[in-house]
Amino acid sequence: MSWLVLTDYDGPEDPENEIIMRGRIIGYADRYNTYVGSDTKLGSLNTTESFAEPQHIHLVYDWPTHAANGTFQSVYWNYHYERNTSIAVIGKKYLQISAPNGYLFYSNIFIDNARTKVKNGKLYFMGKEVQTNKVAILVYDLNVQARTITNGQVYALLNISANYTYDDFEIAPNGDIYLISGNTLYCFGQNGSPKNIPGTSQTSRDYGYLLDLFVIVGQDVYIESRTSYTDDLKINRYNINDLVNPVDVKVIPRSSIDVYQKYCKGMHYIPELDMLAITVDGYTYFVDRTMLDLSKNTPVKTIVSNYSAMTYDTTKKQFIEIRHTTPTGPNGNDYTKRDVTIRPLGFIGARNLLPSPVTKTSTNTMKLTYDLYIDSF
């Protein structure tokens, strides 16, 4: 409870399940300090009007005319003023899973993590067959409530060498597998044979400067398409039957997702909420899939591992991050296993939903009071 944060999220309070900040951030203030400056969101603790007494803490915050302008309805307490974090250990679960006999989890000198996807209740890893050194896609049953992940199977063995750097993979609804290496996209059938990239007569296709974001959602395919890593984020949407001519193009401004001089690290689809999770430089941004923008229902950017898989626990209404690393064995790294951490994203201190939206403009200052009452014990 270090920061008071004001957002436009207007969903009902759900204290049993709610662990993550949502909405566009309108303003914030440090619980400990006064502030003077030009920050357009930051307020100041009013130490003259604030006080603490037994069983009661009275906090008063002020915002000048230039700060916290906009409409808000949620008042959060959080660890950080503009991001969700997972510093708590509540709900974490640690597992170790094994590759099927004769297979290893994929790794190379550039990426010491197997890329991971969650699709239709299954957890997919990139791996390779030891005997042939071909890329394999390994699949496991996933139940975020369970204590173990079992039933590892080979989803597909691809007719391509694992000696190259493959940055990511995706699985289409018809079972086809797409591999990404740098700017190049490869397509394979589930039988492992190369297939033509839809709309071309080629089994691979170059997509320009960057291809760090690639995800398939039904008949839609989203591919990053900026031409320089100093540009704003640009994403092309294709029909899955034509990966040459985009259906439309979305530019996400730096004010929403800052990718300036940063490489993106993967994109996942959250079907339960129809959101895309876009990971950039250790943060994941959840965006509405239709408009590719941040909305009042969108979680605030969240600290993650760059190569984590994302999913959603409908039972507990929590976003879940699945981290994974290579364990160390007696002879060094053991690529037959993965150490997996399944953990909820977030843990806010509290949220209060105001009875109606509050709008502040540059013609007014604003004062907000917050009273904490401590039960005797």
Side-chain angles (χ1 to χ4, degrees), residues 137 155-156 158 170-171 175-179 186-190:
I137 305 299
Y155 174 79
L158 309 183
E170 245 299 22
I171 300 173
D176 287 351
I177 301 103
Y178 289 84
L179 283 187
Y186 301 85
C187 183
F188 297 86
Q190 193 173 342

Side-chain angles (χ1 to χ4, degrees), residues 1-68:
M1 299 181 71
S2 300
W3 286 87
L4 190 79
V5 185
L6 313 175
T7 85
D8 64 355
Y9 182 50
D10 60 1
E13 295 176 2
D14 188 5
E16 296 299 319
N17 298 295
E18 192 172 4
I19 66 171
I20 202 164
M21 277 202 304
R22 288 178 180 265
R24 289 178 286 248
I25 296 172
I26 307 301
Y28 42 72
D30 188 342
R31 181 162 63 92
Y32 300 101
N33 299 308
T34 59
Y35 171 80
V36 176
S38 59
D39 190 307
T40 58
K41 294 181 180 179
L42 185 57
S44 180
L45 177 67
N46 187 321
T47 56
T48 301
E49 298 181 26
S50 300
F51 62 82
E53 60 186 12
Q55 298 181 272
H56 180 206
I57 300 173
H58 180 74
L59 300 172
V60 179
Y61 293 94
D62 295 319
W63 279 267
T65 54
H66 70 266

Side-chain angles (χ1 to χ4, degrees), residues 7 26-27 30 32 34 41 49 62 68 101 108 121 179 211 251 262 267 275 284 292 315 317 326 332 343 347:
T7 85
I26 307 301
D30 188 342
Y32 300 101
T34 59
K41 294 181 180 179
E49 298 181 26
D62 295 319
N101 290 336
N108 58 53
L179 283 187
L211 193 59
V251 176
K262 299 172 184 175
M267 181 158 49
M275 286 182 177
T284 282
L292 289 188
T315 303
K317 300 178 184 178
T326 304
R343 65 182 193 172
F347 297 111

Side-chain angles (χ1 to χ4, degrees), residues 139-335:
V139 61
Y140 296 80
D141 290 337
L142 173 63
N143 180 347
V144 295
Q145 310 299 331
R147 293 185 176 274
T148 59
I149 297 178
T150 58
N151 302 319
Q153 302 290 328
V154 179
Y155 174 79
L157 180 63
L158 309 183
N159 189 24
I160 193 168
S161 171
N163 287 335
Y164 298 99
T165 300
Y166 300 109
D167 304 306
D168 208 347
F169 70 95
E170 245 299 22
I171 300 173
N174 67 354
D176 287 351
I177 301 103
Y178 289 84
L179 283 187
I180 297 166
S181 177
N183 304 322
T184 305
L185 184 67
Y186 301 85
C187 183
F188 297 86
Q190 193 173 342
N191 63 2
S193 299
K195 293 184 66 173
N196 288 342
I197 301 293
T200 79
S201 58
Q202 303 169 314
T203 58
S204 65
R205 186 172 189 269
D206 190 285
Y207 279 81
Y209 188 75
L210 294 173
L211 193 59
D212 291 304
L213 300 182
F214 179 89
V215 73
I216 299 173
V217 183
Q219 295 298 300
D220 290 327
V221 181
Y222 298 88
I223 302 178
E224 182 182 357
S225 57
R226 57 182 174 150
T227 57
S228 167
Y229 81 152
T230 61
D231 292 342
D232 286 347
L233 183 57
K234 187 166 83 171
I235 297 177
N236 288 357
R237 180 173 67 92
Y238 298 85
N239 181 278
I240 199 168
N241 297 312
D242 179 5
L243 297 188
V244 177
N245 304 294
V247 176
D248 56 35
V249 181
K250 297 288 187 183
V251 176
I252 303 178
R254 197 173 303 169
S255 59
S256 295
I257 301 180
D258 184 7
V259 295
Y260 180 72
Q261 294 187 338
K262 299 172 184 175
Y263 291 101
C264 301
K265 298 295 184 179
M267 181 158 49
H268 300 267
Y269 178 55
I270 311 294
E272 295 84 359
L273 303 171
D274 200 25
M275 286 182 177
L276 296 178
I278 299 174
T279 299
V280 179
D281 197 33
Y283 295 102
T284 282
Y285 300 80
F286 297 87
V287 298
D288 170 79
R289 181 173 73 90
T290 304
M291 300 303 296
L292 289 188
D293 68 352
L294 307 181
S295 72
K296 64 184 178 182
N297 295 315
T298 301
V300 173
K301 73 176 184 179
T302 305
I303 298 175
V304 298
S305 169
N306 276 332
Y307 303 117
S308 295
M310 300 292 155
T311 186
Y312 186 76
D313 185 346
T314 55
T315 303
K316 294 186 176 181
K317 300 178 184 178
Q318 295 174 350
F319 290 89
I320 302 295
E321 177 189 15
I322 301 175
R323 293 191 175 196
H324 48 98
T325 57
T326 304
T328 301
N331 299 314
N333 290 337
D334 183 357
Y335 295 109

